[in-house]
Amino acid sequence: MLEQVWAALGEERYGEARALLEADPTLLASGDGQHTLGYILAHEGLFDEAREVYARLRVAHAGEPEEHIFVHQQGMVERLAGDHRAALLLFAEEHALIDALPGDRAFERAVNGYEVGVNRLALGEIEAARAALTVAMTDAQAADDPMTLACVHRALGDLAAQTGDSIEARAEYECAQAAFQKAGADRAAAEVRARYDAL
């Protein structure tokens, strides 16, 4: 059932995804179910409800390796809500939690750095955004995750577009499109192609 829910989310059919999730009370009550519910609520614009879900999950996993995941999701909620300063504070917390974990955490750092860059860009902090995204790209390449690479390339394309560098923006969007296609994210690939065409 969870696969069906995420398939609907991948196509941004949030209402359908929520209906599927709520049709399975056992799944809904599980940790994975609650994590997914928070994601749906955030993307439906129900930010207070999403905040409550992720706050509960963070408390439940405090001190565990998974805690940073729920801090990340709290930051994502604030980004979607348009409170980029609050988001950045949460992503700083997440970064500290990731750094405290053992082993190579390139993937986690890349995803965190992407969010920092996107929020800095939204605030018009161009050089801080560029710095965060440059580091995120290095980590994404080390992690070799097509979806993360695609997202960072897209953000770098947005940064270039915002600063009037259409040549660099097109190059980044082309890389993003290819990586989204490799990841099987056809909708995202089409969206980034539209950004390319709009330049």
Side-chain angles (χ1 to χ4, degrees):
M1 178 65 80
L2 194 58
E3 287 183 6
Q4 291 175 276
V5 173
W6 279 100
L9 289 175
E11 297 182 359
E12 299 181 8
R13 293 182 278 117
Y14 300 113
E16 180 181 338
R18 186 173 181 181
L20 286 167
L21 184 61
E22 291 176 342
D24 187 337
T26 301
L27 175 60
L28 178 63
S30 70
D32 285 343
Q34 285 295 294
H35 186 173
T36 305
L37 176 63
Y39 185 92
I40 294 169
L41 291 169
H43 284 82
E44 287 184 320
L46 301 172
F47 302 122
D48 286 341
E49 292 91 332
R51 288 182 182 107
E52 289 176 10
V53 169
Y54 286 127
R56 286 198 305 271
L57 286 168
R58 181 179 182 180
V59 168
H61 293 274
E64 298 176 5
E66 297 81 8
E67 182 181 1
H68 80 90
I69 295 170
F70 305 111
V71 178
H72 182 92
Q73 295 304 108
Q74 288 179 310
M76 178 268 296
V77 172
E78 298 308 330
R79 170 173 58 78
L80 290 173
D83 192 341
H84 301 289
R85 293 290 179 201
L88 285 167
L89 288 173
L90 286 159
F91 290 124
E93 287 186 55
E94 184 201 14
H95 192 278
L97 290 169
I98 291 169
D99 277 352
L101 294 173
D104 179 22
R105 298 289 171 170
F107 171 75
E108 289 86 349
R109 290 195 309 271
V111 175
N112 175 269
Y114 161 77
E115 286 286 357
V116 171
V118 167
N119 281 282
R120 293 289 184 198
L121 185 59
L123 291 166
E125 299 174 2
I126 301 299
E127 292 312 312
R130 191 189 312 278
L133 291 170
T134 299
V135 174
M137 178 59 74
T138 299
D139 284 326
Q141 289 168 338
D144 195 24
D145 180 72
M147 181 62 79
T148 308
L149 280 166
C151 289
V152 177
H153 277 300
R154 181 182 60 196
L156 285 167
D158 291 344
L159 188 155
Q162 190 167 317
T163 57
D165 189 344
S166 59
I167 294 173
E168 181 68 16
R170 286 190 179 95
E172 291 291 352
Y173 287 150
E174 283 184 336
C175 291
Q177 182 180 0
F180 278 130
Q181 289 171 334
K182 185 176 180 180
D186 294 336
R187 179 185 290 268
E191 288 174 352
V192 83
R193 182 66 197 189
R195 296 187 195 191
Y196 178 102
D197 291 340
L199 290 171

